[in-house]
Amino acid sequence: MNHDRLRFDLTDLAEEVTVVDLRDRSLRTSRRLGLQRAIATSAAAVVLLGAAAGTALAVRPDAGPGPVPAESPTASPSPVPSAPAPSVTPSRPAVPPDTSSPATPTARLGKVVYGPMPTTNLGTVRLWSWKPGDSPDRLLALPWEPAVLSATVSPDGRQVAWVDRDGTLWVSALDGSGKRKVREQTDSMCQTTWSPDSRHLTAAVAGEGAGLVDVVSGAYQKVDGLLGCHPVWAANGTLALADGGDGTVFLTDRRGSARRVIPGLGGEGSAYVCYDLASISPDGRHIALFRIARGNDGGDAARSLLANVVLDTRTGKEVVLPLGDRELRQVFFQADGSMVVRVRSGDRYTLLLVGEDGKKVAEQAEPPSLRDMQIINALG
């Protein structure tokens, strides 16, 4: 009897409480707390790198909460056209725009690799891979810090690289076999991205600065022009990096030459800044990144793989994506130029395949087991 009364009282009380979604706020806070130890352990290496290179780590945008995969497949919403529909005469009915993508008939959703979201430290975690139509596959286990801050999969899909909290760069197969040490005293937050041939990694070495590491021999080559954070490497050799000083994003090559900035990001008069890059197209013409309005909180220096916009690297103009009124969360370019786009609608999360022409090719709801994971590479 007392139990029933207590239950009724609690029910009445719940009806008087205003429901507030605190998930975004709590995950954002827990992420900052969870990263404090990683940032502290990297401080000594950062100071050395700053002295050698004359730069500092970027203050980066708050990555926010991790997306939650859909519990069930969603119906395909009406795509957003990439350009306004042409005007029509009153005597002729308007024709809906064609949102199919015949220009990229071979584009497909291939294997996608996931890692943990940067929330509370979970100890040892696993990477996972998933290919639409199959069940998720369990990959290697890693400590939470390198899994969030630096784990990256090679373009050929055969190797994983990460930097542990002691600054040691490791490489292994996707299942964790063949693990080997590549180099010590490397930065664990600002660098580490694969070359298109899966042979080299960008790295910042204490006392040396930024450069390239051969993953087979461990040989290091300093490159003066790679002063920046969170680089992404295009198949044509273009490298993009975020400048932690003024929020600009610049493009260069593996020698650090022919440097140019993306218009509209950082610099005097720009409305936006950027400290985190997610992916770049094979030809270097488009880039997915997290753009924030100037004056907003930049967050911390750790890596974020979220993206809220795709830009033309030559003009700085936004590329319109067929999101169908859903929230953009992540974008990864595939080798054929198509994009794997992760979107959220309420508590449902879906992968879109978008062709080079910006039109939707396919979409697939993610398995519920990938809840609170983030994409770290799309292998095609």
Side-chain angles (χ1 to χ4, degrees):
M1 190 68 174
N2 290 337
H3 291 169
D4 290 339
R5 174 132 184 213
L6 177 60
R7 177 162 52 86
F8 293 144
D9 290 343
L10 289 176
T11 300
D12 292 339
L13 179 61
E15 293 175 352
E16 298 175 3
V17 177
T18 301
V19 177
V20 179
D21 184 5
L22 295 178
R23 185 172 186 275
D24 283 5
R25 188 182 307 170
S26 62
L27 285 183
R28 190 156 49 240
T29 301
S30 64
R31 181 181 171 279
R32 287 178 178 274
L33 294 175
L35 289 171
Q36 285 178 354
R37 184 174 62 173
I39 294 171
T41 55
S42 300
V46 171
V47 170
L48 287 173
L49 291 174
T55 61
L57 282 175
V59 176
R60 64 167 204 79
D62 194 344
V68 181
E71 296 296 330
S72 60
T74 61
S76 299
S78 299
V80 176
S82 59
S87 59
V88 296
T89 62
S91 60
R92 182 178 301 173
V95 178
D98 180 11
T99 57
S100 62
S101 184
T104 54
T106 61
R108 63 185 180 90
L109 278 169
K111 181 184 290 187
V112 182
V113 181
Y114 293 78
M117 283 296 297
T119 55
T120 304
N121 191 324
L122 302 174
T124 299
V125 296
R126 283 193 179 274
L127 304 187
W128 292 80
S129 67
W130 174 60
K131 184 176 181 179
D134 297 336
S135 299
D137 289 328
R138 186 171 62 176
L139 305 180
L140 78 162
L142 289 174
W144 177 86
E145 289 173 7
V148 169
L149 297 174
S150 61
T152 180
V153 178
S154 61
D156 62 12
R158 297 178 179 178
Q159 303 175 87
V160 178
W162 70 94
V163 180
D164 65 24
R165 62 182 304 183
D166 296 322
T168 301
L169 174 62
W170 299 89
V171 170
S172 80
L174 266 64
D175 62 2
S177 63
K179 176 182 174 181
R180 56 188 177 84
K181 182 189 298 186
V182 177
R183 191 162 187 100
E184 296 180 338
Q185 295 186 309
T186 57
D187 175 60
S188 64
M189 288 191 293
C190 191
Q191 290 279 346
T192 313
T193 190
W194 286 93
S195 62
D197 62 3
S198 301
R199 176 65 186 261
H200 296 86
L201 285 160
T202 61
V205 176
E208 296 288 342
L212 304 178
V213 172
D214 188 306
V215 297
V216 176
S217 67
Y220 169 76
Q221 177 186 0
K222 183 178 178 180
V223 181
D224 291 331
L226 297 187
L227 299 178
C229 270
H230 311 306
V232 289
W233 205 328
N236 71 351
T238 300
L239 272 159
L241 299 96
D243 186 324
D246 59 5
T248 60
V249 176
F250 66 92
L251 283 77
T252 184
D253 57 26
R254 62 184 299 152
R255 297 181 299 275
S257 59
R259 175 174 171 143
R260 64 181 178 87
V261 299
I262 298 178
L265 289 177
E268 186 176 355
S270 297
Y272 298 98
V273 295
C274 175
Y275 302 108
D276 289 283
L277 313 181
S279 181
I280 190 169
S281 63
D283 58 9
R285 296 177 62 180
H286 296 102
I287 190 168
L289 49 80
F290 196 94
R291 184 178 67 177
I292 59 177
R294 181 180 294 278
N296 285 4
D297 181 15
D300 55 51
R303 179 182 72 172
S304 171
L305 296 175
L306 293 183
N308 59 7
V309 70
V310 174
L311 299 179
D312 186 307
T313 60
R314 300 158 299 176
T315 66
K317 293 183 178 180
E318 181 175 348
V319 176
V320 178
L321 299 176
L323 306 180
D325 295 324
R326 292 171 286 192
E327 179 190 2
L328 179 62
R329 299 294 293 173
Q330 291 189 273
V331 179
F332 279 83
F333 288 92
Q334 300 192 120
D336 61 3
S338 62
M339 291 172 272
V340 174
V341 179
R342 197 182 199 191
V343 296
R344 176 173 67 180
S345 178
D347 61 351
R348 300 188 176 196
Y349 293 79
T350 305
L351 295 186
L352 308 179
L353 178 63
V354 178
E356 286 185 280
D357 55 4
K359 296 181 179 180
K360 187 180 73 173
V361 178
E363 71 173 72
Q364 177 70 51
E366 288 182 336
S369 60
L370 295 174
R371 182 183 178 91
D372 294 331
M373 303 290 283
Q374 66 174 350
I375 299 173
I376 62 174
N377 205 351
L379 301 175

